[in-house]
Amino acid sequence: MKSQTIVLNVNDENQIVTVRAADTLLFTLRNKLGLTGAKPGCLNGDCGACTVNVDGWPMKSCLMFAIEAVGKRVTTIEGLKDSPIQRAFVENFAFQCGYCTPGFIMNCHSLIEQHPNADDKTIKEWLESNICRCTGYAEIEKALKSVLKGK
Ligand code: FES
Ligand code: FES
């Protein structure tokens, strides 16, 4: 398959990367840019483990081609180091094995940005796009709400 060189803006840095047309954003972030925070899970849009932010909105990176991200601003969990939502997950014990955690944090981060006054219904709807197989969702919701309250 033919490759092409593109520029991706990831975590506020322009990255030059060679991709094939069928390379997903998830594959490219992990295998070409060494950003392994976004996790492969179902690879079909169901689990949310691969969630990143694209222009401020949560995006399941297994469902997006890398070439579709050209000209957009991509943020990964590596770009949220020491963010309030990351700290809130730690303080509220909102994880166990941690595999789903980057995806949840990215989704919560977008929700906080897009809906700083989110009500319970909105929170529930947004959290439905991610799956955790270990921990209770109560702690995740608590972590999210602790940041929303502080806004
Ligand atoms: S790996 Fe992308 S949604 Fe599950
Ligand atoms: S903490 Fe293990 S899958 Fe969520």
Side-chain angles (χ1 to χ4, degrees), residues 26 39-51 59-63 99 129 131:
L26 175 64
K39 300 285 185 258
C42 63
L43 299 181
N44 64 14
D46 289 330
C47 75
C50 64
T51 304
M59 171 58 66
K60 289 172 177 171
S61 60
C62 69
L63 295 183
Y99 197 83
S129 73
I131 293 172

mmCIF file of all heavy atoms in Angstrom, residues 26 39-51 59-63 99 129 131, ligand 1:
data_model
loop_
_atom_site.group_PDB
_atom_site.id
_atom_site.type_symbol
_atom_site.label_atom_id
_atom_site.label_comp_id
_atom_site.label_asym_id
_atom_site.label_seq_id
_atom_site.Cartn_x
_atom_site.Cartn_y
_atom_site.Cartn_z
ATOM 1 N N LEU A 26 -5.108 5.717 16.003
ATOM 2 C CA LEU A 26 -4.609 4.944 17.150
ATOM 3 C C LEU A 26 -3.300 4.247 16.800
ATOM 4 O O LEU A 26 -2.322 4.340 17.546
ATOM 5 C CB LEU A 26 -5.662 3.893 17.571
ATOM 6 C CG LEU A 26 -5.229 2.945 18.686
ATOM 7 C CD1 LEU A 26 -4.984 3.702 19.983
ATOM 8 C CD2 LEU A 26 -6.269 1.842 18.895
ATOM 9 N N LYS A 39 -5.208 3.293 24.345
ATOM 10 C CA LYS A 39 -5.101 1.826 24.359
ATOM 11 C C LYS A 39 -5.974 1.168 23.297
ATOM 12 O O LYS A 39 -7.114 1.576 23.092
ATOM 13 C CB LYS A 39 -5.528 1.290 25.731
ATOM 14 C CG LYS A 39 -4.690 1.815 26.877
ATOM 15 C CD LYS A 39 -3.326 1.135 26.882
ATOM 16 C CE LYS A 39 -2.489 1.532 28.059
ATOM 17 N NZ LYS A 39 -1.462 2.520 27.748
ATOM 18 N N PRO A 40 -5.459 0.105 22.671
ATOM 19 C CA PRO A 40 -6.316 -0.695 21.791
ATOM 20 C C PRO A 40 -7.172 -1.626 22.638
ATOM 21 O O PRO A 40 -6.660 -2.302 23.527
ATOM 22 C CB PRO A 40 -5.307 -1.496 20.951
ATOM 23 C CG PRO A 40 -4.062 -1.547 21.783
ATOM 24 C CD PRO A 40 -4.073 -0.368 22.718
ATOM 25 N N GLY A 41 -8.453 -1.607 22.392
ATOM 26 C CA GLY A 41 -9.353 -2.537 23.084
ATOM 27 C C GLY A 41 -10.135 -3.299 22.043
ATOM 28 O O GLY A 41 -9.620 -4.203 21.390
ATOM 29 N N CYS A 42 -11.357 -2.878 21.822
ATOM 30 C CA CYS A 42 -12.230 -3.591 20.874
ATOM 31 C C CYS A 42 -11.847 -3.325 19.420
ATOM 32 O O CYS A 42 -12.141 -4.119 18.539
ATOM 33 C CB CYS A 42 -13.665 -3.156 21.108
ATOM 34 S SG CYS A 42 -13.921 -1.386 20.770
ATOM 35 N N LEU A 43 -11.260 -2.172 19.164
ATOM 36 C CA LEU A 43 -10.922 -1.707 17.804
ATOM 37 C C LEU A 43 -12.135 -1.556 16.902
ATOM 38 O O LEU A 43 -12.003 -1.566 15.676
ATOM 39 C CB LEU A 43 -9.881 -2.639 17.136
ATOM 40 C CG LEU A 43 -8.533 -2.734 17.861
ATOM 41 C CD1 LEU A 43 -7.586 -3.659 17.089
ATOM 42 C CD2 LEU A 43 -7.881 -1.349 18.018
ATOM 43 N N ASN A 44 -13.300 -1.432 17.491
ATOM 44 C CA ASN A 44 -14.482 -1.168 16.645
ATOM 45 C C ASN A 44 -15.415 -0.105 17.217
ATOM 46 O O ASN A 44 -16.594 -0.063 16.880
ATOM 47 C CB ASN A 44 -15.246 -2.460 16.321
ATOM 48 C CG ASN A 44 -15.813 -3.101 17.562
ATOM 49 O OD1 ASN A 44 -15.866 -2.462 18.618
ATOM 50 N ND2 ASN A 44 -16.232 -4.339 17.467
ATOM 51 N N GLY A 45 -14.884 0.732 18.111
ATOM 52 C CA GLY A 45 -15.675 1.875 18.571
ATOM 53 C C GLY A 45 -16.539 1.635 19.797
ATOM 54 O O GLY A 45 -17.297 2.523 20.182
ATOM 55 N N ASP A 46 -16.437 0.476 20.416
ATOM 56 C CA ASP A 46 -17.339 0.181 21.537
ATOM 57 C C ASP A 46 -16.778 0.512 22.913
ATOM 58 O O ASP A 46 -17.523 0.887 23.808
ATOM 59 C CB ASP A 46 -17.716 -1.306 21.537
ATOM 60 C CG ASP A 46 -18.649 -1.647 20.399
ATOM 61 O OD1 ASP A 46 -19.427 -0.750 19.991
ATOM 62 O OD2 ASP A 46 -18.601 -2.787 19.907
ATOM 63 N N CYS A 47 -15.469 0.336 23.127
ATOM 64 C CA CYS A 47 -14.962 0.360 24.512
ATOM 65 C C CYS A 47 -14.433 1.715 24.978
ATOM 66 O O CYS A 47 -14.408 1.991 26.171
ATOM 67 C CB CYS A 47 -13.874 -0.695 24.685
ATOM 68 S SG CYS A 47 -12.289 -0.255 23.926
ATOM 69 N N GLY A 48 -13.964 2.550 24.065
ATOM 70 C CA GLY A 48 -13.479 3.879 24.444
ATOM 71 C C GLY A 48 -12.052 3.910 24.985
ATOM 72 O O GLY A 48 -11.553 4.982 25.335
ATOM 73 N N ALA A 49 -11.382 2.758 25.045
ATOM 74 C CA ALA A 49 -10.014 2.731 25.597
ATOM 75 C C ALA A 49 -9.047 3.573 24.758
ATOM 76 O O ALA A 49 -8.013 4.024 25.253
ATOM 77 C CB ALA A 49 -9.514 1.292 25.679
ATOM 78 N N CYS A 50 -9.388 3.774 23.502
ATOM 79 C CA CYS A 50 -8.494 4.480 22.574
ATOM 80 C C CYS A 50 -8.813 5.973 22.460
ATOM 81 O O CYS A 50 -8.278 6.644 21.585
ATOM 82 C CB CYS A 50 -8.648 3.858 21.192
ATOM 83 S SG CYS A 50 -10.330 4.105 20.550
ATOM 84 N N THR A 51 -9.675 6.487 23.343
ATOM 85 C CA THR A 51 -10.168 7.863 23.192
ATOM 86 C C THR A 51 -9.049 8.905 23.299
ATOM 87 O O THR A 51 -8.233 8.863 24.218
ATOM 88 C CB THR A 51 -11.245 8.169 24.262
ATOM 89 O OG1 THR A 51 -12.277 7.193 24.158
ATOM 90 C CG2 THR A 51 -11.828 9.557 24.091
ATOM 91 N N MET A 59 -12.640 11.533 20.667
ATOM 92 C CA MET A 59 -12.672 10.757 19.423
ATOM 93 C C MET A 59 -12.078 9.384 19.686
ATOM 94 O O MET A 59 -11.011 9.278 20.299
ATOM 95 C CB MET A 59 -11.841 11.494 18.358
ATOM 96 C CG MET A 59 -11.596 10.732 17.083
ATOM 97 S SD MET A 59 -13.094 10.213 16.219
ATOM 98 C CE MET A 59 -13.797 11.790 15.739
ATOM 99 N N LYS A 60 -12.785 8.364 19.252
ATOM 100 C CA LYS A 60 -12.239 7.014 19.376
ATOM 101 C C LYS A 60 -11.226 6.839 18.250
ATOM 102 O O LYS A 60 -11.594 6.772 17.069
ATOM 103 C CB LYS A 60 -13.376 5.999 19.329
ATOM 104 C CG LYS A 60 -14.191 6.089 20.613
ATOM 105 C CD LYS A 60 -15.438 5.293 20.615
ATOM 106 C CE LYS A 60 -16.096 5.436 22.003
ATOM 107 N NZ LYS A 60 -17.437 4.860 22.064
ATOM 108 N N SER A 61 -9.970 6.810 18.623
ATOM 109 C CA SER A 61 -8.914 6.902 17.612
ATOM 110 C C SER A 61 -8.785 5.632 16.782
ATOM 111 O O SER A 61 -8.092 5.623 15.771
ATOM 112 C CB SER A 61 -7.573 7.264 18.251
ATOM 113 O OG SER A 61 -7.182 6.298 19.198
ATOM 114 N N CYS A 62 -9.470 4.551 17.187
ATOM 115 C CA CYS A 62 -9.478 3.348 16.343
ATOM 116 C C CYS A 62 -10.419 3.520 15.156
ATOM 117 O O CYS A 62 -10.379 2.730 14.216
ATOM 118 C CB CYS A 62 -9.874 2.109 17.154
ATOM 119 S SG CYS A 62 -11.610 2.089 17.692
ATOM 120 N N LEU A 63 -11.269 4.556 15.228
ATOM 121 C CA LEU A 63 -12.264 4.765 14.163
ATOM 122 C C LEU A 63 -11.879 5.892 13.213
ATOM 123 O O LEU A 63 -12.646 6.231 12.322
ATOM 124 C CB LEU A 63 -13.635 5.095 14.775
ATOM 125 C CG LEU A 63 -14.317 4.014 15.598
ATOM 126 C CD1 LEU A 63 -15.695 4.499 16.058
ATOM 127 C CD2 LEU A 63 -14.461 2.722 14.802
ATOM 128 N N TYR A 99 -6.339 0.050 32.581
ATOM 129 C CA TYR A 99 -6.301 -0.036 31.111
ATOM 130 C C TYR A 99 -7.277 0.949 30.450
ATOM 131 O O TYR A 99 -6.956 1.560 29.435
ATOM 132 C CB TYR A 99 -6.606 -1.476 30.656
ATOM 133 C CG TYR A 99 -6.185 -1.732 29.232
ATOM 134 C CD1 TYR A 99 -4.868 -2.067 28.925
ATOM 135 C CD2 TYR A 99 -7.090 -1.600 28.181
ATOM 136 C CE1 TYR A 99 -4.461 -2.277 27.620
ATOM 137 C CE2 TYR A 99 -6.698 -1.806 26.871
ATOM 138 C CZ TYR A 99 -5.383 -2.144 26.592
ATOM 139 O OH TYR A 99 -4.981 -2.336 25.301
ATOM 140 N N SER A 129 -19.981 6.104 26.813
ATOM 141 C CA SER A 129 -19.173 5.766 25.635
ATOM 142 C C SER A 129 -17.886 5.024 26.001
ATOM 143 O O SER A 129 -17.125 4.628 25.123
ATOM 144 C CB SER A 129 -18.842 7.020 24.828
ATOM 145 O OG SER A 129 -17.889 7.775 25.517
ATOM 146 N N ILE A 131 -16.017 1.884 28.526
ATOM 147 C CA ILE A 131 -16.284 0.678 29.320
ATOM 148 C C ILE A 131 -15.107 0.411 30.252
ATOM 149 O O ILE A 131 -13.947 0.501 29.847
ATOM 150 C CB ILE A 131 -16.493 -0.544 28.388
ATOM 151 C CG1 ILE A 131 -17.779 -0.362 27.574
ATOM 152 C CG2 ILE A 131 -16.547 -1.844 29.190
ATOM 153 C CD1 ILE A 131 -17.962 -1.404 26.493
HETATM 154 S S1 FES B 1 -10.380 0.361 20.849
HETATM 155 FE FE1 FES B 1 -11.373 2.089 20.071
HETATM 156 S S2 FES B 1 -13.355 2.043 20.957
HETATM 157 FE FE2 FES B 1 -12.416 0.204 21.651
#
